[in-house]
Amino acid sequence: EGMTIFELAKRTGASIRSLQEIIANVGERVLSEFDPLSIDIAELVSMEVGVNVRRLHLDEGAVLQPRPAVVTVMGHVDHGKTSLLDALRQTSVAAKEAGGITQHLGAFVVDMPSGSLITFLDTPGHAAFSAMRARGAAVTDIVVLVVAADDGVMQQTLEAMSHAQAAGVPIVVAINKCDKPAADPERVKMQLGAEGLLLEDLGGDVQVVEVSAKSKVGLDKLEEALLLQAEMMDLKSRIDGPAQAYVVEARLDRGRGPLATAIVKSGTLICGQYIVAGAEWGRIRAIRDMLGMTTTSGKPAMPVEIEGLKGLPMAGDDVVVVNTEERARMLSHGRKKKLEKDRLLKASEERTENEDISEESEKTPLRVELPIVVKADVQGTVQAVTDALRSLNNTQVFVNVIHVGVGSISQSDVDLAQACGACIVGFNVPTPPSSLALAANHASIKIVLHRVIYHLLEEIGNLIVEKAPGTF
Ligand code: GDP
């Protein structure tokens, strides 16, 4: 007979309350935490928790094998992200085998002469990256930070840097447009160094490669750098057993119905299996590789197109395999109900916040983290505000300034805050436009605007007291 909720909580690190909630969501009666669950339900719940809490990967004792890295390209607008992806795609397996013609799948794989593979996500920019992270999808292993050699470091370069750093994803810098007469790669390196990026040239471990997407120079060097970075990270996955995957793109095909491109994180996806992708479910009718060829299975870090879902999942949604149609329906139903519930909860910001607090304190009673994005009018103020906020740190509170910048609060700040569960502090900056304020409000992101440090500290102090009563 199956495990108890108590035991499941111990094994997964999830709270008993959250487990009970999941069980209720799939339509089961909530038992006492010491009553055994049926094996069906235990599996369903642990799967749900494994995905949500990202701790139970069922990989304990499993054989892990090396897998390719999954890479995302980020950087300032017009610095050549799309061009670079296009150029890299031309060196991909698909392009080689299909005579240069590739279909857009949302991801492609490049094979190196050594036989090693690199998977690139085909959606540039940090909006996609944050959207995925907001859903908890840690798909990207490495970020390629594209900086134009003539323009140098710009606002979105810094934002991309912050996104990658907040996610703990290592960066490889590609200085692009090196074919241009005005190119000054050395200046770019100085700028990045000044921003605190520990470049290889300056004794750090962040690799820098000079490229030109236009003249297709340095692409091989970039691929080698990525391979080296991947080797250092020693990326491994379980190959056998049920797959866990992430949706990177989904579209509706008139003949074939919903099609989702997914990247397998661990295990092997097999045609015919029942899956749940986000809140949608289905039975895999066909799996296609990046050449559009039908295949029977999908392995870690490989993008595959899945046919057979009943509806369209979203980018960043997780895909899990379940044993029966009934369970697939149940899990999908449970997730849909949860989505609906979350939506209602968000409508009343106040209540959502309280929920977060009680859940958080259950898991980590020790140190409360308060992630903050800081925007201010001038560089000097940014530093002063950041220092002042950090002065609030003590043994129980960790004020984590995840991104700082000069200027008005932007959509990208809101995206980052959402991805990290952060609040935004604006000091001496204009009140954000109502559309942005609305978006932040909708995402339950607090925006704190002040012109006096003392007042700012007072409000943040209050926030901390709310989050961690008894701190001050
Ligand atoms: P994105 O906004 O970062 O995706 O940038 P794009 O890839 O759209 O490129 C912006 C512009 O820069 C386009 O006009 C490209 O043709 C040009 N561009 C991109 N890469 C290079 C390069 O290596 N050299 C030169 N000279 N131009 C480039």
Side-chain angles (χ1 to χ4, degrees), residues 73-86 124 146 150 176-181 211-216:
V73 172
M74 298 209 270
H76 196 74
V77 64
D78 276 349
H79 279 196
K81 298 179 292 293
T82 312
S83 310
L84 190 60
L85 279 167
D86 284 345
V146 179
D150 50 348
N176 189 32
K177 307 198 186 183
C178 283
D179 58 289
K180 283 193 156 185
V211 302
S212 163
K214 192 178 166 201
S215 6
K216 309 212 173 2

Side-chain angles (χ1 to χ4, degrees), residues 403-424:
H403 174 65
V404 299
V406 175
S408 327
I409 295 166
S410 66
Q411 180 63 47
S412 154
D413 297 326
V414 172
D415 290 344
L416 179 60
Q418 186 174 11
C420 303
C423 72
I424 302 175

Side-chain angles (χ1 to χ4, degrees), residues 27-91:
E28 280 285 310
R29 210 159 55 81
V30 179
L31 304 159
S32 125
E33 59 255 47
F34 297 111
D35 284 333
L37 296 166
S38 75
I39 291 172
D40 276 30
I41 298 298
E43 200 176 313
L44 196 70
V45 171
S46 44
M47 234 172 318
E48 188 69 342
V49 168
V51 170
N52 286 342
V53 175
R54 209 169 298 293
R55 238 177 262 173
L56 183 99
H57 271 296
L58 300 172
D59 289 351
E60 223 174 281
V63 183
L64 301 183
Q65 291 185 44
R67 65 161 174 88
V70 179
V71 177
T72 298
V73 172
M74 298 209 270
H76 196 74
V77 64
D78 276 349
H79 279 196
K81 298 179 292 293
T82 312
S83 310
L84 190 60
L85 279 167
D86 284 345
L88 288 164
R89 202 185 305 107
Q90 291 312 313
T91 73

Side-chain angles (χ1 to χ4, degrees), residues 198-461:
L198 301 169
L199 301 183
E200 209 177 38
D201 296 27
L202 308 167
D205 54 9
V206 176
Q207 300 181 79
V208 188
V209 186
E210 294 173 22
V211 302
S212 163
K214 192 178 166 201
S215 6
K216 309 212 173 2
V217 171
L219 298 177
D220 48 346
K221 291 271 182 328
L222 176 59
E223 290 169 1
E224 273 162 29
L226 289 168
L227 218 54
L228 186 64
Q229 178 65 46
E231 263 165 33
M232 287 192 293
M233 295 165 79
D234 194 22
L235 302 167
K236 284 186 172 155
S237 284
R238 168 175 59 82
I239 303 240
D240 298 323
Q244 212 191 342
Y246 289 110
V247 174
V248 292
E249 208 168 86
R251 67 192 169 94
L252 199 60
D253 182 273
R254 284 185 68 182
R256 297 187 282 162
L259 297 176
T261 300
I263 293 194
V264 176
K265 282 294 272 188
S266 63
T268 300
L269 200 63
I270 299 167
C271 196
Q273 284 176 331
Y274 289 100
I275 55 168
V276 178
E280 304 298 335
W281 74 277
R283 183 174 192 185
I284 306 178
R285 203 159 47 225
I287 298 178
R288 285 182 198 81
D289 64 15
M290 6 153 227
L291 297 167
M293 304 293 276
T294 312
T295 151
T296 49
S297 64
K299 296 229 174 337
M302 288 294 111
V304 284
E305 189 178 68
I306 303 169
E307 181 183 326
L309 285 166
K310 305 286 176 202
L312 277 184
M314 291 189 282
D317 275 345
D318 64 290
V319 181
V320 292
V321 175
V322 285
N323 280 346
T324 64
E325 175 172 334
E326 202 209 342
R327 281 189 215 172
R329 283 178 188 276
M330 245 162 64
L331 195 52
S332 152
H333 180 69
R335 286 182 178 183
K336 276 189 178 148
K337 259 173 64 182
K338 188 163 184 299
L339 278 178
E340 180 62 18
K341 205 175 118 202
D342 288 350
R343 214 174 49 76
L344 290 175
L345 266 173
K346 261 189 184 159
S348 67
E349 196 196 44
E350 207 62 66
R351 277 183 55 205
T352 314
E353 268 182 18
N354 289 338
E355 282 252 329
D356 282 352
I357 295 157
S358 46
E359 226 154 58
E360 209 116 273
S361 48
E362 230 168 81
K363 263 184 274 166
T364 48
L366 284 177
R367 207 166 180 216
V368 175
E369 183 186 340
L370 189 63
I372 297 184
V373 171
V374 175
K375 292 303 280 280
D377 53 348
V378 291
Q379 191 57 46
T381 325
V382 171
Q383 197 53 49
V385 169
T386 307
D387 290 346
L389 287 172
R390 289 199 176 125
S391 73
L392 295 172
N393 277 338
N394 60 33
T395 49
Q396 290 160 69
V397 178
F398 175 41
V399 175
N400 187 8
V401 178
I402 52 170
H403 174 65
V404 299
V406 175
S408 327
I409 295 166
S410 66
Q411 180 63 47
S412 154
D413 297 326
V414 172
D415 290 344
L416 179 60
Q418 186 174 11
C420 303
C423 72
I424 302 175
V425 164
F427 196 83
N428 255 338
V429 297
T431 310
S434 55
S435 57
L436 200 61
L438 211 66
N441 191 30
H442 195 72
S444 306
I445 295 163
K446 203 172 182 73
I447 297 185
V448 180
L449 297 172
H450 282 287
R451 295 183 185 279
V452 181
I453 288 261
Y454 169 73
H455 290 154
L456 170 67
L457 290 184
E458 198 172 53
E459 179 161 2
I460 298 295

